[in-house]
Structures are given as C-alpha cells and as structure tokens.
Amino acid sequence: MKQDFQSFHANLSALDDQAINPSANVSLEQLVDRSRRNLLKGGMGLAALGFLGGSLGACRSAVQSESLIGFKGIPTQLDPAFDSVQVAPGYSARTFFSWGDAVMADAPEWNPDATDDWQAQLKQAGDNHDGMHFFPFPENPDSHGLLVMNHEYVNPPLHPNGMTFTDGKRPLDEVRKEQAAHGVSVIEVKKDAQGQWQRVMPSRYNRRISGMTPMAVSGPLAGNDALKTASDPSGREIIGTLNNCSSGVTPWGTYLVCEENWHNYFVNHDAEDMAGRVSHKRYGIEGKSLSKLYGWETADLRFNATPDPTQPHGGHVHEPNRFGWVVEVDPFDPQSKPVKRTAFGRYCRECSVLSLGEDGRMAFYSGDDTKGEYVYKFVPSGRYVAGNDQANRQLLDDGTLYVARFNADGSGEWLALVHGQNGLTVGNGFADQAEVLLNARAAGDHVGATPMDRPEWVAVHPRSREVYVTLTNNDNRGVKWLTDKANPRPVNLHGQILRWNEKGADPTATAFTWEVFLLAGEQPGAKDAEGEPVPANLTGTINGDIFSSPDGLAFDNAGRLWIETDYGDDEPAMQAMGTNQLLCADPRTREVRRFLVGPRGCEITGITWSPDYRAMWINVQHPELSFPASDGKTRARASTVLITKDDGGVIGT
Ligand code: FEO
Ligand code: CA
Ligand code: CA
C-alpha cells in the first residue's frame, strides 16, 4: 500500500507540473514596450509609478517597530520517521477532524481497515482536507461557529487495497466512494464548559457536499449550449464539485469552493475532436487511454467526454465544461443548493480571495495552479451593501474577469477578458462572452497575460489591501516562456512570493505596482550534506527560517502573514527543508519564522482562526506514515489540527 501511495503521489506531482500553455506571447521582457505605451495611454506615467513604489517603500520602513512575531521559531524536522505535528514552544496542537470522522448524526464509526462503503463515506469526513474557513455565530463568535473545509482529492488508502482495476475497469463502488470523499464538510464547533473546542454532534448544520451533490448554475453560462449534456439537457444542473483545493469567503458570509485539477477526471478519446476543442485541449484533458490517475470513465460514463453523435448534445462531451468554476455554498442553510458561478471564468482555480473596498466594491483574486498559467481577479459590477443580503446574493453573476500582466519595471496591469476588447473577437475564435469565460486560459493567452510559476493562494492584507500570491515552483520554464522579473528562475524548485499594491488601494483598479517579497530556498552560501555549495537556483532571499514551495497563504488580523508549504520532502533538493511547515512572516521586515512542522510525506494547507485569533485550525493533507494515530500501524488520515497557546493568548504572539 505504501508503494501504491508513493507512486500515486509521484504521478500526481508530475501532473501538477505539466505545462499546457502553448502561448508564445509570454516572453515578458519583449512586451515591456507595449505595456509602457498602454500605461502612458492610461494616464499613469513611469515617473508616477516610480514615485508610488518609492513612497510605499518609505512608508514601510517608517512604520517598522518591534516584530509582529512573538513566538520562538523551531528547527526543520529532518527525521525520516517523523509522524507527528510539532509547534513552537508554549503552543499545543491536537487532532480535531480526520478523514472518516462522523459528520452526519447517522454516520457509522470509521473503519480502520477502510471497508466503509460509499454510502458511509457520504456521511463521514472526506479525504485530503484543504482550504477552510471558520464562520462564527453572531451571538458567541469566539466560542461557537461552523468550520467549513474542502476535501481536495483521494488517496489510494481510501480503499482496503488501494485503487483497483478489474479487466481494465474500475469497480463502480470504489469510484462512488472516491466521488463521495471529494467536496466539502460543514461541521458545527463549540467551546465546552472547560473552554476546549469540540465538534457538535448531532447538529442541524452538519453537512457533506460531494462529487455527487446536485448544484445549480448561474451567470453567463447558465443554460448555455456548452453546458448541455445527455444527462442535463438544460445546462443548468451539475452533479458534484471536484478537486476542491483552496477557497474564499464573501462579505455576506458564504463560502466559495474552488475547482482546481478537475481535468484529471476526464478523457476524450477522439484526437480529431480534441485538436479543435479548446475547452478540452487547453486544460490538459487526457486523450489516449485512461483519465489521469482515476479511470472513473470506465465505471461512470459521465467522465468519458469523447463526443457521441448518437446522444443528445454529443453525450458527455460538454461535461468537462461544467467544472473549473467557483461554487458558492451557504453554510448556515443546510438545505441550500450550491451554485456554480460562471462569471468568475473557468480554469484550474486554486482560490478565490476577497478584497473589499471601503465603498463596498470588491475583487476576488485567484491563481490557476499549472505551470505557466495566470493570476486572475473577478470584479463584480455592483457593490456590497451590509445587511442587504438578497441583493448581495446577485453580485457574483455580473462583473469583469481580469488577468494579470507583471511588467519588468515593477508596474502591472489587469487585462479585461471581455468579448470585443483586447482582441477577444469572433475572428480570433471567441464567439461571445460565454466562450471567453469558458476558455479563460485561451483568452489570457490572447491578451498577453504573464505565465507564472504555478500560482497558488492569494492573501490580502487586512488594512493596506496589499495583495500577496504564492508561486509554488516550476522546474522548467522551458523555451516558450523566458524567465522574467516575476518568475526569475529557469529551474525553480523552491518558488517565490510576490506582492502588489493596486492603484489607490482600490480592489477594482486596473494598474498596480509589484515586487518579489521573497525567493524561497536555502540561505545564500549554504552547503549540502557533502559540504559542497548549494547551487544558486536552490538558494533564496529568505530573512530567517528556510522553506520551499509556498502554497497556503493567509493574513491574521494583526497583519502577520502565515505561509504553508507543499513539497516532496523525500526529493533530493528538499533534504535541508525537512518535513512540510507552517511559517509566519512580518510583511514590514520580511522576517520569516517557523511555527509548525508536520509528519513525513504530508502537505500543510488550509488555515483559519476563531475571530479572537486564540484558536487556529490547519490541515495536514496526505500524511504518509500513520498520522494522526502515530502508532506505526494505523492507516494515515488527512486531518484538521487545532492549535492553541498554552496561556490562552493570541496565536503568533
Ligand atoms: Fe491543490 Fe495547487 O494545490
Ligand atoms: Ca494548494
Ligand atoms: Ca501545491
């Protein structure tokens, strides 16, 4: 089983790393002249940009005082058998919610031999916990809330003997269990009489959303021909959400589920069709044999997207068009139907993170985590008005999708993906706005967006609205995309974090100034185990504790930036990094301090707090040994971990 697990994760990493972007418009340094002209046309000259950059820099140094970080950092965890979570001195961590734990009141107890069937799985915690948010109840916000989290994908140990095939086919019961283990868990949580956080059971709020849950569609693609299939001729009801990586929240208290590597679940065997079908090809849908990793199409025809002219709407050829969206979920209404919001555009969306202006205008930032893909923001046309819930619920169906260009001079532009603008015309292959949104990647190619080193999470500073993005890594920028200032390493194994300020701190601005916050990697001058200097591309600019492959990213309300990592801790280049980590950065001084290390083989992801910031939850995804039992024999389980300070204080102090 262990071999199975490791080879599955090796395949998964290889897929994450697979570049699909065919665009040749991306040698950014060559675009500087064009962007300069556009900027000047837009009334913002280079001198003004330089002044803005300088004044922000001065501002930063003027406010530098004592560090925001109060805890004592911990060392890297190099033990190959480490199977626990270790936190900074004065803090405690305890497992809170693991794969298979009961969510619904009638859920059976988790079977350590993984023999629970798919009906049981539909009532239990899903696998591979990822993005997460704590929604407080207004009456007791610091002691009562709903913890809502994504279950991104499944590990082979979901089943007693891993993922099996019989005569080239997946058993339907296994596929159903895998679909049931995706999606979202909503769990009610409350402090008990001793002040300890507990899960509430039973709860009217507890809910599982999965790869089998019916969802509504809204926005420009609702009812569009491109969303119609043999099983949904209306194009208005989609079964399930998949590969739910990170997430977001709205000002009106709903949760935004993001659909990341959904293409791995589909196959299109018709090479000729695929060659002309941008909505498959540009997203890397498998064309030859089994769908990547899962082989669901051998048991559930909906995942075979090969066109079938004998079926209405070509059978399931449009099914992949129904994934890659943002799904809005109301955690406080367990009967509510999740809604796929198509105005946000379709890509492999990592996250959807809000920036809210004082006047109620909004932006939702997203990374498209594939090599050479883009950073986006969606700006609703309307404004958020507190208390006007009915009207607020309509805000996500109408707005403008933008894609980012990071210029070499530190300026940046948001390029509108609007039909008829920036060359997004019928003549260039975009019939209408629905097609621009459906094929957002191709639209981004067309307007000259910057191909990035796998954009993952975005975080917005709670006061300045400065925006940060993790670019996790990219082992080969290839010949199509030269290196550029934002993605400066041709073989980038450790990744970087960028930050930018929108013009006027306005979330809806179309111009920004940006800089590299840090390049991850070892310290300059570091030596490897043999005493040889570490190659230059493996050293970074971290002021403090080292890490690789930043992924999860979030600010607390004091402005501490929390960084979570996702790298293969068994890879040769990662030997100095130890197991995956949670670190804390002070954005003013750029100091980075290590707060937590996880068990072998895991990724640390998902982060949220109680409103008083005295409880923090993080997720340990795909641990490899026997975490959280940590007894050397029990099946490992993805788990949410609760972190508190022993003196009851604020996390990070
Ligand atoms: Fe699901 Fe890009 O991490
Ligand atoms: Ca991630
Ligand atoms: Ca990652």
Side-chain angles (χ1 to χ4, degrees):
M1 188 165 64
K2 190 172 163 208
Q3 186 52 40
D4 203 8
F5 182 86
Q6 282 175 334
S7 61
F8 179 82
H9 276 271
N11 290 339
L12 194 64
S13 303
L15 288 173
D16 281 353
D17 286 355
Q18 208 165 64
I20 301 159
N21 190 341
S23 175
N25 66 24
V26 285
S27 59
L28 266 229
E29 311 297 339
Q30 296 159 7
L31 286 171
V32 168
D33 278 352
R34 199 167 109 203
S35 60
R36 217 164 259 181
R37 279 199 302 277
N38 287 349
L39 273 173
L40 290 168
K41 231 173 19 189
M44 192 178 191
L46 289 176
L49 281 169
F51 172 75
L52 183 59
S55 63
L56 284 170
C59 212
R60 267 187 203 118
S61 53
V63 295
Q64 275 174 24
S65 53
E66 63 186 73
S67 176
L68 284 172
I69 310 172
F71 63 87
K72 186 170 182 293
I74 59 171
T76 50
Q77 177 49 258
L78 301 174
D79 178 357
F82 189 69
D83 198 20
S84 183
V85 166
Q86 185 185 355
V87 277
Y91 287 83
S92 296
R94 90 170 144 95
T95 306
F96 195 77
F97 181 60
S98 300
W99 161 57
D101 278 348
V103 173
M104 309 311 292
D106 58 345
E109 196 175 338
W110 178 70
N111 256 323
D113 61 7
T115 53
D116 288 323
D117 60 15
W118 64 267
Q119 290 92 343
Q121 179 63 78
L122 276 176
K123 299 173 179 177
Q124 299 168 327
D127 201 359
N128 282 334
H129 309 20
D130 207 318
M132 174 167 59
H133 192 76
F134 179 97
F135 291 88
F137 283 100
E139 301 79 27
N140 302 98
D142 295 327
S143 57
H144 190 195
L146 299 177
L147 194 58
V148 184
M149 78 184 66
N150 290 350
H151 300 290
E152 186 180 18
Y153 63 100
V154 292
N155 293 320
L158 188 81
H159 309 295
N161 302 303
M163 297 168 179
T164 66
F165 286 84
T166 306
D167 300 331
K169 291 199 163 112
R170 296 292 318 279
L172 182 59
D173 280 355
E174 279 186 16
V175 169
R176 288 282 181 252
K177 186 173 183 187
E178 290 162 27
Q179 293 169 349
H182 284 70
V184 176
S185 287
V186 180
I187 55 171
E188 186 179 350
V189 297
K190 198 172 188 175
K191 273 188 184 173
D192 64 17
Q194 286 72 44
Q196 302 295 312
W197 284 97
Q198 308 294 354
R199 295 187 277 125
V200 176
M201 184 76 76
S203 161
R204 65 173 289 256
Y205 297 102
N206 283 9
R207 182 179 188 187
R208 274 301 322 283
I209 291 167
S210 77
M212 300 177 181
T213 306
M215 321 219 151
V217 188
S218 73
L221 270 289
N224 190 283
D225 281 351
L227 263 56
K228 292 177 181 169
T229 71
S231 45
D232 174 26
S234 75
R236 291 178 185 275
E237 184 173 83
I238 296 171
I239 303 303
T241 183
L242 294 171
N243 218 277
N244 309 109
C245 191
S246 185
S247 51
V249 293
T250 63
W252 48 95
T254 55
Y255 184 69
L256 300 176
V257 185
C258 300
E259 299 181 328
E260 193 194 15
N261 292 311
W262 47 270
H263 56 290
N264 290 338
Y265 303 84
F266 293 98
V267 68
N268 178 351
H269 295 306
D270 184 337
E272 203 179 320
D273 178 78
M274 180 90 108
R277 192 175 293 278
V278 178
S279 71
H280 286 196
K281 190 177 170 207
R282 186 63 184 79
Y283 293 89
I285 287 173
E286 183 57 55
K288 291 181 281 299
S289 53
L290 293 169
S291 61
K292 292 163 182 166
L293 297 165
Y294 303 104
W296 284 2
E297 79 283 0
T298 63
D300 184 345
L301 279 182
R302 186 158 67 95
F303 294 91
N304 187 341
T306 310
D308 180 351
T310 68
Q311 294 285 315
H313 305 289
H316 303 288
V317 66
H318 293 153
E319 192 65 30
N321 297 352
R322 293 146 63 89
F323 294 83
W325 306 106
V326 163
V327 188
E328 187 178 19
V329 170
D330 182 351
F332 292 99
D333 180 0
Q335 308 308 325
S336 60
K337 194 171 186 175
V339 184
K340 296 209 180 190
R341 300 281 185 188
T342 60
F344 280 73
R346 173 175 167 268
Y347 41 94
C348 293
R349 180 180 282 98
E350 177 85 14
C351 63
S352 186
V353 174
L354 170 74
S355 178
L356 178 63
E358 273 127 47
D359 59 3
R361 287 185 297 169
M362 294 171 278
F364 292 90
Y365 296 98
S366 299
D368 180 346
D369 176 13
T370 302
K371 257 193 210 176
E373 296 301 338
Y374 306 132
V375 172
Y376 297 82
K377 76 172 174 183
F378 173 69
V379 174
S381 304
R383 297 179 189 214
Y384 165 68
V385 179
N388 197 358
D389 273 2
Q390 216 43 43
N392 290 332
R393 297 276 170 132
Q394 312 308 316
L395 290 172
L396 301 185
D397 287 338
D398 182 24
T400 306
L401 179 65
Y402 295 92
V403 68
R405 181 152 70 201
F406 295 84
N407 298 317
D409 63 0
S411 68
E413 295 157 79
W414 289 108
L415 305 162
L417 301 182
V418 173
H419 191 252
Q421 295 182 24
N422 296 321
L424 301 175
T425 59
V426 176
N428 286 327
F430 299 93
D432 51 23
Q433 182 60 18
E435 190 157 8
V436 169
L437 294 169
L438 179 72
N439 295 323
R441 281 184 172 178
D445 299 343
H446 214 86
V447 303
T450 303
M452 308 299 283
D453 287 345
R454 298 185 53 204
E456 300 247 29
W457 289 41
V458 175
V460 178
H461 190 280
R463 279 174 289 285
S464 70
R465 289 189 211 105
E466 189 168 45
V467 191
Y468 290 65
V469 65
T470 49
L471 302 173
T472 196
N473 57 51
N474 185 350
D475 64 3
N476 183 4
R477 278 190 70 80
V479 292
K480 289 179 295 194
W481 321 308
L482 306 177
T483 56
D484 56 54
K485 290 272 168 53
N487 304 276
R489 299 194 275 210
V491 182
N492 181 10
L493 299 187
H494 290 320
Q496 65 265 26
I497 299 176
L498 303 190
R499 65 180 174 187
W500 66 87
N501 282 284
E502 302 281 11
K503 188 181 178 190
D506 174 359
T508 73
T510 55
F512 60 91
T513 55
W514 69 271
E515 64 174 7
V516 175
F517 177 59
L518 60 79
L519 294 178
E522 297 186 53
Q523 295 296 353
K527 301 267 179 28
D528 66 17
E530 278 77 49
E532 297 296 320
V534 169
N537 74 309
L538 298 182
T539 63
T541 61
I542 293 174
N543 171 18
D545 291 337
I546 61 167
F547 62 91
S548 176
S549 305
D551 188 338
L553 193 72
F555 277 102
D556 64 22
N557 69 334
R560 294 179 203 90
L561 181 64
W562 296 84
I563 304 165
E564 298 176 314
T565 68
D566 173 20
Y567 47 85
D569 60 15
D570 55 348
E571 289 169 19
M574 302 299 159
Q575 290 318 296
M577 299 294 174
T579 58
N580 278 275
Q581 326 170 19
L582 167 65
L583 307 103
C584 183
D586 183 332
R588 304 168 307 175
T589 61
R590 303 184 197 234
E591 187 203 349
V592 178
R593 223 177 277 178
R594 190 176 299 106
F595 179 74
L596 173 153
V597 292
R600 269 288 150 189
C602 85
E603 154 187 357
I604 302 293
T605 185
I607 184 164
T608 192
W609 296 264
S610 57
D612 61 6
Y613 290 85
R614 292 168 197 273
M616 170 198 264
W617 288 267
I618 59 112
N619 285 323
V620 172
Q621 194 190 88
H622 61 81
E624 184 186 326
L625 303 177
S626 64
F627 184 82
S630 306
D631 57 2
K633 54 177 199 248
T634 305
R635 196 171 290 253
R637 308 160 79 183
S639 296
T640 303
V641 172
L642 167 66
I643 294 146
T644 50
K645 198 173 181 195
D646 297 342
D647 67 4
V650 169
I651 311 294
T653 57

